[in-house]
């Protein structure tokens, strides 16, 4: 026994903790295998697949219009974006051009959905870090958006809102007025969240310098969306490969500097404001006219393949369709942003404390429906 | 420098924490947003998609369904089953059996789109959504339970 | 002679029972109050179903907890597992022995009954000492559960409680110096003599006491030991039924205790506002029943204020992280409380020398 080496007598073990699939803060059925030394995380292994429903294979046995309800259920928090992406892919495949009014309405819906999705993210992220009230405020405002959606398409979560070639129904009378009402009310609500969080010293301590990822690393992993832009890479599908009518609207793509949790928080908060700007412009310039192009009832695209991606609130949501000339897709592939973003988690976690892991799950903003598909 | 001093004073006086506290205090006096669901029914919008139901012609009271099977084909979940038969008067067809399996229905509304009986579609998305049941067999709705007004609530309170 | 002793014992036992019952009832209703207050702050309604606007909810909750199956995990250390909640709840209730709930004694059958169970001359020390015993129960619970989340939670809790004992104790020193006594009743009387309540000269002390008190009782934003989103439920993850309700009762009783101590030490205990101003004597409007009740009313009102602040803070702030909590305790609150003690000492020295000169 040597007196000089007290470390050898202090033997510590690395403990393995299962976080999830049932855990208050894993947002669905994510399971994390954490290796912790005391409270410091030394290893993290996400285990996915608890929500696997085989949607890609399922789509091969469904005709093109039938796939839309399936896309609702991929990333159920922003079903409008999924709908838009799928519609865009099919319309690209069949060479259908959508009437202008339908495009405008779609953009309004998707941007409203972006706000709703970010509200859900903010609420759960803050709840994970312990700010319970923000969660309920966020849901209060999200409810207003969901009411608008219910009025437009009849559903509050799985919208199935668009149809190939345009829309099923036009905006109900008075809808634009109510939408403008929301635009007027909302900024004050967002200020409330910012009052509760942005400068709060506990919030700053919990988010600044946590989960730093550099822009290069983020690109290598394949991060997209606000998680990538928080690291200073200004890649936004709406700007990089404009789809629908996004070219006509003026909006900024906010980026962070440090690539930490706080910057990603700021980026998302700013994105909500930009979405408001887009909706306002779209409402101002909303053209009159038809809402649906002529589309055959039984859609049979020519042989070929197509990839179309949209900027969902979580990142680049891609749809890859291979058609063999029948009324059903030969192969359907979804590129989910949550799946790619989740890959960053093990790297972000290491070296932080257990309490930070929940903050990091929150900041990546994953939706398990999109990860497992 | 003055900025730093001002920042220090602000942080000692806990300014940002007090602002946060004022937000929660203010919200205490705002009207609540809770809908006490079983006591009050939620305010459903006209386009709300509840369970699909069948409609009769409001004037004649006859079935609107012409047994064309389009809804059955449009359903992504295979939850509709229609058996058509010849009408007694010999003109066209009608549904002899019309079964919807609500266990599978995903409330997407795709069955309503192709329905040929315009302007009133034979199948429509109703505003009923309270489907809870104690037995799986009760989710198979035969034709006479699909019309407006048929009782679907099993529980009380 | 013997009858006198017997009477004393009977009176004490009666008072203990009263305090226990009232305390248990108020703990139950504190839970309802918390749910309601936080609900209103979050633009919700809170419990509404049981009784008129949810007023009977605590009874329903209690019934549920009593009737629930009492699970002991297969690999748990059964004895320690059962003992832990008892070890937590006894100090939580025992500490109330020295809290003066009102100022005026009342006479029943020729006996003078004081509105406190006992007034020992080291009351403050007694509370500090006995309330820190609860941490043993928490460690036992975490260890005996033989599960990982409770273990993490109990270790966090132990570290947190021990580090916040220090600033908590030091923050009271200033009050003790001004009052010159450690008896709870004596401190309130001292506040009557000096003319103002001690939160005026000791506002730093009150702040430190309040923050450390929140940490001691595991309240948000210091609720790491049971951080729901991190450790599921911390040290009582594996507990259910009666045993869980003991932890629950102890937590809320501790919260009331911190409120009582803050009220007594810093806010003048049972006294009405501005006790030396005769013009405000109508504030003791309950005197027409008995002076005891007006004292109790003011005590309860101040207690409510403190507890409301607890709930308000819980509804507003995010949660600290474990290392940040330690940082705050050792590097901010501890130096601050020492400085507070020193400044108090210097000021008192100057004032005394001024008055004697």
């Amino acid at each position: 026994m040597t007196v000089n080496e007290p470390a050898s007598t202090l033997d510590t073990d690395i403990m393995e903790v299962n976080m999830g699939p049932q855990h208050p803060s894993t947002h669905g059925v994510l399971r994390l295998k954490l290796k912790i030394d005391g409270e410091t995380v030394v290893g993290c292994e996400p285990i996915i697949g608890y929500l696997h429903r085989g949607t890609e294979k399922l789509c091969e046995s469904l005709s093109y219009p039938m796939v839309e309800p399936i896309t609702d259920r991929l990333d159920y928090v922003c079903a409008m974006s999924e709908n838009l992406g799928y519609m865009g892919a099919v319309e690209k495949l069949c060479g259908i051009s959508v009437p202008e009014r339908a495009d405008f309405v779609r953009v309004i819906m998707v941007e409203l959905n972006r706000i709703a999705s970010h509200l859900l993210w903010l609420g759960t992220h803050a709840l994970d870090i312990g700010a319970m009230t923000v969660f309920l405020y966020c849901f209060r405002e999200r409810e207003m958006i969901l009411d608008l959606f219910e009025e437009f398409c009849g559903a509050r979560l799985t919208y199935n809102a668009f149809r190939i070639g345009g829309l099923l129904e036009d905006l109900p009378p008075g809808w634009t007025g109510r939408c403008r009402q929301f635009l007027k009310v909302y900024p004050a609500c967002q200020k409330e969240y910012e009052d509760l969080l942005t400068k709060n010293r506990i919030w700053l301590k919990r988010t600044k310098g946590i989960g730093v990822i550099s822009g290069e690393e983020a690109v290598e992993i394949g991060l997209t969306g606000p998680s990538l832009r928080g690291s200073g890479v200004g890649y936004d599908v709406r700007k990089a490969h404009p789809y629908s009518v996004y070219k006509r609207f003026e909006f900024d793509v906010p980026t962070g500097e440090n690539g930490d949790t706080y910057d990603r928080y700021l980026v998302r908060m700013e994105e909500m404001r930009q979405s408001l700007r887009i909706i306002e412009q779209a409402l101002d310039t909303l053209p009159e006219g038809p809402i649906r192009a002529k589309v055959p009832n039984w859609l049979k695209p020519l042989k070929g393949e197509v990839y179309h991606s949209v900027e969902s609130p979580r990142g680049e949501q891609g749809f890859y369709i291979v058609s063999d000339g029948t009324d059903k897709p030969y192969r359907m592939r979804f590129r989910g942003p949550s799946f790619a973003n989740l890959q960053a988690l093990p790297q972000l976690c290491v070296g932080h404390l257990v309490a930070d892991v929940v903050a990091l799950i929150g900041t990546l903003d994953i939706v398990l429906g999109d990860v497992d598909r | 420098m003055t900025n730093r001093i001002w920042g220090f004073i602000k942080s000692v006086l806990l300014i940002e924490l007090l602002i946060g506290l004022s937000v929660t205090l203010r919200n205490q006096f705002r009207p609540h947003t809770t809908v006490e669901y079983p006591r009050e029914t939620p305010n459903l919008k006209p386009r709300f998609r509840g369970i699909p139901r069948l409609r009769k012609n409001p004037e004649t009271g006859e079935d609107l369904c012409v047994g064309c099977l389009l809804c059955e084909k449009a359903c992504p979940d295979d939850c509709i089953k229609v058996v058509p038969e010849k009408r007694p008067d010999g003109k066209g067809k009608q549904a002899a059996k019309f079964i919807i399996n609500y266990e599978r229905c995903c409330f997407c509304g795709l069955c309503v789109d192709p329905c040929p009986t315009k302007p009133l579609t034979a199948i429509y998305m109703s505003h009923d959504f309270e489907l809870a049941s104690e037995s799986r067999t009760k989710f198979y709705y035969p034709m006479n339970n699909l019309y407006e007004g048929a009782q679907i609530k099993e529980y009380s309170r | 002679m013997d009858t006198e002793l017997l009477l004393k014992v009977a009176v004490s036992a009666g008072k203990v029972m009263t305090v226990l019952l009232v305390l248990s009832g108020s703990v139950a209703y504190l839970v309802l109050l918390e749910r309601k207050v936080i609900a209103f702050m979050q633009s919700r309604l809170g419990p509404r179903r049981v009784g008129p606007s949810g007023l009977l909810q605590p009874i329903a909750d209690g019934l549920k907890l009593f009737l629930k199956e009492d699970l002991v995990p297969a690999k748990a250390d059964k004895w320690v597992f059962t003992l832990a909640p008892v070890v937590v709840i006894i100090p939580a209730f025992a500490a109330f022995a020295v809290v003066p709930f009102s100022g005026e004694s009342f006479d029943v059958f020729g006996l003078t009954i004081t509105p406190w169970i006992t007034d020992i001359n080291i009351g403050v020390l007694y509370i500090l000492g006995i309330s820190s015993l609860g941490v043993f129960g928490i460690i036992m619970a975490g260890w005996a559960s033989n599960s990982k989340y409770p273990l993490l939670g109990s270790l966090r809790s132990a570290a947190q409680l021990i580090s916040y004992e220090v600033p908590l104790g030091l923050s009271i020193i200033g009050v003790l110096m001004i009052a010159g006594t450690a008896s709870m009743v004596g401190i309130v009387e001292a506040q009557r003599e000096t003319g103002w309540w001690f939160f005026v000269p000791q506002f730093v002390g009150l702040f430190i006491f309040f923050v450390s008190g929140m940490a001691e009782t595991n309240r948000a934003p210091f609720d790491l030991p049971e951080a729901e989103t991190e450790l599921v439920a911390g040290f009582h993850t594996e507990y259910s039924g009666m045993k869980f309700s003991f932890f629950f009762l102890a937590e809320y009783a501790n919260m009331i205790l911190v409120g009582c101590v803050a009220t007594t030490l810093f806010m003048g205990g049972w006294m009405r506002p501005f006790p030396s101003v005769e013009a405000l004597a109508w504030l003791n409007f309950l005197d027409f029943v008995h002076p005891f009740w007006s004292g109790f009313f003011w005590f309860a009102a101040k207690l409510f204020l403190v507890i409301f602040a607890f709930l308000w803070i819980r509804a507003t702030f995010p949660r600290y992280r474990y290392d940040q909590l330690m940082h705050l305790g050792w590097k901010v609150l501890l130096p601050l409380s020492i400085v507070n003690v020193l400044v108090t000492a210097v000021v008192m020295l100057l004032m005394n020398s001024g008055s004697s000169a």
Side-chain angles (χ1 to χ4, degrees), chain B residues 28-41:
Chain B
Q28 207 164 0
F29 306 108
R30 277 217 203 146
H32 62 83
T33 46
T34 311
V35 178
E36 291 183 86
Y37 159 56
R39 278 188 199 169
E40 337 169 358
T41 40

Side-chain angles (χ1 to χ4, degrees), chain A residues 16 18-19 23-25 39 128-130 132-133 136-137 140 196 200 202 205-206 210 353 355-356 358, chain C residues 38 41-44 148-149 152 156 221 228-230 232 314-321 323-324:
Chain A
E16 232 177 60
N18 252 321
M19 207 181 216
H23 186 277
S25 65
E39 285 233 4
D128 285 348
I129 297 185
M132 179 171 43
T133 305
L136 286 135
Y137 291 172
R140 187 179 61 194
L196 281 170
N200 187 305
I202 307 176
K205 274 189 177 171
R206 287 301 302 274
I210 305 299
L353 300 180
D356 294 326
V358 295
Chain C
I38 291 186
M41 286 188 174
Q42 296 170 339
S43 68
R44 297 185 283 127
K148 285 166 185 172
Y149 285 122
L152 282 176
R156 276 184 182 190
E228 191 190 329
T229 47
E230 295 157 23
V232 188
R314 178 179 170 198
T316 310
F317 294 139
R319 181 183 299 122
Y320 268 107
R321 205 174 61 201
D323 57 328
Q324 293 160 351

